[in-house]
Amino acid sequence: MTQAKFNLEESEIQFLNRFEKYGFRDQNELIHVALKKLRQELETQSLEESANLYAEIYEQDRELQELTESALLDLPEWQD
């Protein structure tokens, strides 16, 4: 595993030192979980922004709406 060196505020160090209070084995586990959660949130935010952009484009593009509606008519009906 690669090591990294970075600067933290005193309040962040105090938070890391309370790792056991939050159920973590050590400070490393706390940091790994925090970074994983941040990455997931950023990816979700990026996907939401992309979906909003596509929705905006779709809303303004009548030809694309007609193409989509046409494709939906060609789909077989699903039966329960």
Side-chain angles (χ1 to χ4, degrees):
M1 190 173 302
T2 304
Q3 292 187 357
K5 182 177 179 179
F6 45 91
N7 299 319
L8 297 173
E9 299 289 328
E10 182 61 33
S11 63
E12 295 164 335
I13 297 212
Q14 290 173 2
F15 175 76
L16 282 175
N17 287 334
R18 293 191 302 266
F19 63 89
E20 289 177 305
K21 177 182 177 182
Y22 302 111
F24 296 98
R25 290 190 304 265
D26 54 29
Q27 294 170 335
N28 287 326
E29 184 182 20
L30 189 152
I31 291 170
H32 287 287
V33 169
L35 288 174
K36 181 178 180 182
K37 184 173 177 64
L38 175 60
R39 182 177 63 236
Q40 289 171 338
E41 287 178 11
L42 292 172
E43 289 171 355
T44 298
Q45 179 183 2
S46 177
L47 288 173
E48 288 174 355
E49 289 171 0
S50 178
N52 289 337
L53 178 59
Y54 279 113
E56 185 179 320
I57 291 170
Y58 180 80
E59 186 177 315
Q60 297 173 4
D61 189 335
R62 185 64 196 149
E63 185 177 337
L64 180 58
Q65 292 172 17
E66 290 172 1
L67 179 63
T68 303
E69 291 169 12
S70 170
L72 289 174
L73 293 174
D74 292 339
L75 286 176
E77 288 188 33
W78 297 99
Q79 297 182 3
D80 294 327

